[in-house]
Amino acid sequence: MATTFKLDSSAADYLNWLGRSIHECEMPGNLRVRVAASCLAIAQDHHHAIVVLLDHSQFASSFALLRCEFEAYVRGEWLALCATDEEVEAFSKGEEPPKMGRLLESLEKTPAFAEKILSRVKANSWDAMCAYTHTGGLHVQRWGTDEAIEPNYEPGEIQEVLSFAETFGALAVVGVAYLANNDKVAEDVLAKFKERTGK
C-alpha cells in the first residue's frame, strides 16, 4: 500500500515565520557576505521545497533534497567563517569548494562549531543522504510494496526528513542573521526552534 502522510500545518507556519524573520535584514555588501548568504538562502529554499513536496506526497524528491540543503548550509558557513579571500573569489567564479570533509574540518576549528555536531550529522546521515539524492538502493527500497512499484516510506522516516529540513532551515536563517550582525533575529530564531523541537 502506498505511503499516506498528512503534513501538519505548523510546518508551513514555521517555514513562513523563518522567512519573515530574516526578510528585511540589511547586511554588508562585500563578496564574502553575498556569496555566503546566497548559499544559506539556497539552504532555506531547499527547506521550503521539502515542506511543499511533503505536503504534495512527493516523498522521493523531498528526501533527495536533504543532502542539497545540508551542503548549501555547510558551504555557506565555511564561506562566511573559514574561506580565504582567494577561495571566496574562486567560488564566486564557479570553482568547486573543498570536499565536505575538509569544509567540516575547517568549520569545526571555529568556536561556533567546536562541538563537532556537523561532523556527527555527516557520520550518521551522509550515506543515506547520498543514497536518496543519487537514487541508491536505500531509496529504491522505499519504492516497492507487495502490490506495486509505489512510494512505501514509513511515517517516522518522513517526520525525520521534516525535522532535518527544519533544523538546517533554522540554522541557515541564524547564519544569515549573523552575517547581518543581527543578534536579535538569531536569538529569536533559536528560541523558536527550541520551542518547536522541545530541545
Side-chain angles (χ1 to χ4, degrees), residues 15-49:
L15 173 71
N16 292 328
W17 181 87
L18 285 173
R20 286 192 309 272
S21 71
I22 202 72
H23 185 64
E24 295 296 327
C25 281
E26 292 184 15
M27 59 186 63
N30 64 64
L31 183 63
R32 179 180 302 275
V33 169
R34 287 198 317 269
V35 175
S38 294
C39 288
L40 296 170
I42 290 168
Q44 294 167 52
D45 207 48
H46 290 320
H47 170 207
H48 189 139

Coordinates of all heavy atoms in Angstrom, one line a residue, residues 15-49:
L15 N 7.9 27.5 8.6 CA 8.7 27.9 7.4 C 8.4 29.4 7.1 O 9.4 30.1 6.9 CB 8.2 27.0 6.3 CG 8.8 27.4 4.9 CD1 10.2 27.0 4.8 CD2 8.0 26.6 3.8
N16 N 7.2 29.8 7.1 CA 6.9 31.2 6.8 C 7.4 32.1 7.8 O 7.9 33.2 7.5 CB 5.4 31.4 6.6 CG 4.9 30.6 5.3 OD1 5.6 30.5 4.3 ND2 3.7 30.1 5.4
W17 N 7.3 31.7 9.1 CA 7.9 32.6 10.2 C 9.4 32.8 10.0 O 9.9 33.9 10.1 CB 7.5 31.9 11.5 CG 8.0 32.8 12.7 CD1 7.4 33.8 13.3 CD2 9.3 32.7 13.3 NE1 8.2 34.4 14.2 CE2 9.4 33.7 14.3 CE3 10.4 31.9 13.1 CZ2 10.5 33.9 15.1 CZ3 11.5 32.1 13.9 CH2 11.6 33.1 14.9
L18 N 10.1 31.7 9.7 CA 11.5 31.8 9.5 C 11.8 32.8 8.3 O 12.7 33.6 8.5 CB 12.1 30.4 9.1 CG 12.3 29.4 10.2 CD1 12.7 28.1 9.7 CD2 13.3 29.9 11.3
G19 N 11.1 32.7 7.2 CA 11.3 33.6 6.1 C 11.1 35.0 6.5 O 11.9 35.9 6.1
R20 N 10.0 35.3 7.2 CA 9.7 36.7 7.6 C 10.7 37.2 8.6 O 11.0 38.4 8.6 CB 8.3 36.7 8.3 CG 7.1 36.6 7.3 CD 5.8 37.0 7.9 NE 5.6 36.3 9.2 CZ 5.0 35.1 9.2 NH1 4.6 34.4 8.1 NH2 4.8 34.5 10.4
S21 N 11.3 36.4 9.4 CA 12.2 36.8 10.5 C 13.5 37.4 9.9 O 14.1 38.3 10.5 CB 12.6 35.7 11.4 OG 13.4 34.7 10.8
I22 N 13.9 37.0 8.7 CA 15.1 37.5 8.1 C 14.9 38.4 6.9 O 15.9 39.0 6.4 CB 16.0 36.2 7.7 CG1 17.4 36.6 7.6 CG2 15.5 35.6 6.4 CD1 18.1 36.8 8.9
H23 N 13.7 38.5 6.5 CA 13.4 39.2 5.2 C 14.0 40.6 5.1 O 14.5 40.9 4.0 CB 11.9 39.2 5.0 CG 11.5 39.7 3.6 ND1 11.8 39.1 2.5 CD2 10.8 40.8 3.3 CE1 11.4 39.8 1.4 NE2 10.8 40.9 1.9
E24 N 13.9 41.4 6.1 CA 14.3 42.8 5.9 C 15.7 43.1 6.5 O 16.0 44.2 6.7 CB 13.2 43.7 6.6 CG 11.9 43.7 5.9 CD 11.9 44.2 4.5 OE1 12.7 45.1 4.2 OE2 11.1 43.7 3.6
C25 N 16.4 42.0 6.8 CA 17.8 42.3 7.4 C 18.7 42.9 6.4 O 18.8 42.4 5.3 CB 18.4 41.0 7.9 SG 17.7 40.4 9.5
E26 N 19.4 43.9 6.8 CA 20.4 44.5 5.9 C 21.7 44.0 6.3 O 22.0 43.6 7.4 CB 20.4 46.1 6.1 CG 19.1 46.7 5.6 CD 19.2 48.2 5.7 OE1 20.3 48.8 5.9 OE2 18.2 48.9 5.5
M27 N 22.6 43.8 5.3 CA 23.9 43.2 5.6 C 24.9 43.9 4.7 O 24.6 44.5 3.7 CB 23.9 41.7 5.4 CG 23.5 41.2 4.0 SD 23.3 39.4 4.0 CE 22.0 39.2 5.1
P28 N 26.2 43.7 5.1 CA 27.3 44.3 4.3 C 27.2 43.8 2.9 O 26.8 42.6 2.6 CB 28.5 43.8 5.0 CG 28.1 43.5 6.4 CD 26.7 43.0 6.3
G29 N 27.7 44.6 1.9 CA 27.6 44.2 0.5 C 28.9 43.6 0.0 O 29.1 43.5 -1.2
N30 N 29.8 43.2 0.8 CA 31.1 42.6 0.3 C 30.9 41.2 -0.3 O 29.9 40.6 0.0 CB 32.2 42.6 1.4 CG 31.8 41.7 2.6 OD1 31.7 40.5 2.4 ND2 31.7 42.3 3.7
L31 N 31.8 40.8 -1.0 CA 31.7 39.5 -1.8 C 31.5 38.3 -0.8 O 30.7 37.4 -1.1 CB 32.9 39.3 -2.7 CG 32.9 38.0 -3.5 CD1 31.7 38.1 -4.5 CD2 34.2 37.8 -4.3
R32 N 32.3 38.2 0.2 CA 32.2 37.1 1.2 C 30.7 37.0 1.7 O 30.1 35.9 1.7 CB 33.1 37.3 2.3 CG 33.0 36.2 3.4 CD 34.0 36.4 4.5 NE 35.4 36.5 4.1 CZ 36.2 35.4 3.9 NH1 35.7 34.2 4.1 NH2 37.4 35.6 3.5
V33 N 30.2 38.1 2.1 CA 28.8 38.1 2.7 C 27.8 37.7 1.6 O 26.9 36.9 1.8 CB 28.4 39.4 3.3 CG1 27.0 39.5 3.6 CG2 29.3 39.7 4.6
R34 N 27.9 38.3 0.4 CA 27.0 38.0 -0.7 C 27.0 36.5 -1.1 O 26.0 35.9 -1.2 CB 27.3 38.8 -1.9 CG 26.9 40.3 -1.8 CD 26.7 41.0 -3.1 NE 27.8 40.8 -4.0 CZ 28.9 41.4 -4.1 NH1 29.2 42.5 -3.3 NH2 29.8 41.1 -5.0
V35 N 28.2 35.9 -1.1 CA 28.3 34.5 -1.6 C 27.9 33.6 -0.4 O 27.1 32.6 -0.7 CB 29.8 34.2 -2.0 CG1 30.0 32.7 -2.3 CG2 30.1 35.0 -3.2
A36 N 28.3 33.9 0.8 CA 27.9 33.0 1.9 C 26.4 33.1 2.1 O 25.7 32.1 2.3 CB 28.6 33.5 3.2
A37 N 25.8 34.3 2.1 CA 24.4 34.5 2.3 C 23.6 33.8 1.2 O 22.5 33.3 1.5 CB 24.0 36.0 2.4
S38 N 24.1 33.8 0.0 CA 23.4 33.1 -1.1 C 23.3 31.6 -0.8 O 22.3 31.0 -1.0 CB 24.1 33.4 -2.4 OG 24.1 34.7 -2.8
C39 N 24.4 31.0 -0.4 CA 24.4 29.6 0.0 C 23.3 29.3 1.1 O 22.6 28.4 1.0 CB 25.7 29.1 0.4 SG 27.0 29.0 -0.9
L40 N 23.3 30.2 2.1 CA 22.4 30.0 3.2 C 21.0 30.2 2.7 O 20.1 29.5 3.2 CB 22.8 30.9 4.4 CG 24.1 30.7 5.0 CD1 24.5 31.8 6.0 CD2 24.2 29.3 5.7
A41 N 20.8 31.1 1.8 CA 19.4 31.4 1.3 C 19.0 30.1 0.5 O 17.8 29.8 0.5 CB 19.4 32.6 0.4
I42 N 19.9 29.5 -0.3 CA 19.6 28.3 -1.0 C 19.2 27.2 -0.1 O 18.3 26.4 -0.3 CB 20.8 28.0 -2.0 CG1 20.9 29.0 -3.1 CG2 20.6 26.6 -2.5 CD1 22.1 28.9 -3.9
A43 N 19.9 27.1 1.1 CA 19.5 26.1 2.1 C 18.1 26.3 2.5 O 17.3 25.4 2.7 CB 20.5 26.1 3.2
Q44 N 17.7 27.6 2.7 CA 16.4 27.9 3.2 C 15.4 27.5 2.0 O 14.3 27.0 2.3 CB 16.3 29.4 3.5 CG 17.0 29.8 4.7 CD 17.1 31.3 4.8 OE1 16.1 32.0 4.7 NE2 18.3 31.9 4.9
D45 N 15.8 27.8 0.8 CA 14.9 27.4 -0.3 C 14.7 25.9 -0.4 O 13.6 25.5 -0.7 CB 15.6 27.9 -1.6 CG 14.6 28.2 -2.7 OD1 13.6 28.9 -2.4 OD2 14.8 27.8 -3.8
H46 N 15.7 25.1 -0.1 CA 15.5 23.7 -0.1 C 14.6 23.3 1.0 O 13.8 22.4 0.8 CB 16.9 23.0 0.1 CG 17.8 23.1 -1.1 ND1 17.3 23.0 -2.4 CD2 19.1 23.2 -1.2 CE1 18.3 23.1 -3.3 NE2 19.5 23.2 -2.5
H47 N 14.7 23.9 2.2 CA 13.8 23.6 3.3 C 12.3 23.9 2.8 O 11.5 23.1 3.0 CB 14.1 24.5 4.5 CG 13.1 24.5 5.6 ND1 13.0 25.5 6.5 CD2 12.2 23.6 6.0 CE1 12.0 25.2 7.3 NE2 11.5 24.1 7.0
H48 N 12.1 25.0 2.2 CA 10.8 25.4 1.7 C 10.3 24.3 0.7 O 9.2 23.8 0.8 CB 10.9 26.7 1.0 CG 9.6 27.3 0.6 ND1 9.3 28.6 0.8 CD2 8.4 26.7 0.1 CE1 8.0 28.8 0.3 NE2 7.5 27.7 -0.1
A49 N 11.2 23.9 -0.2 CA 10.8 22.9 -1.2 C 10.5 21.6 -0.6 O 9.5 20.9 -1.0 CB 11.9 22.7 -2.2

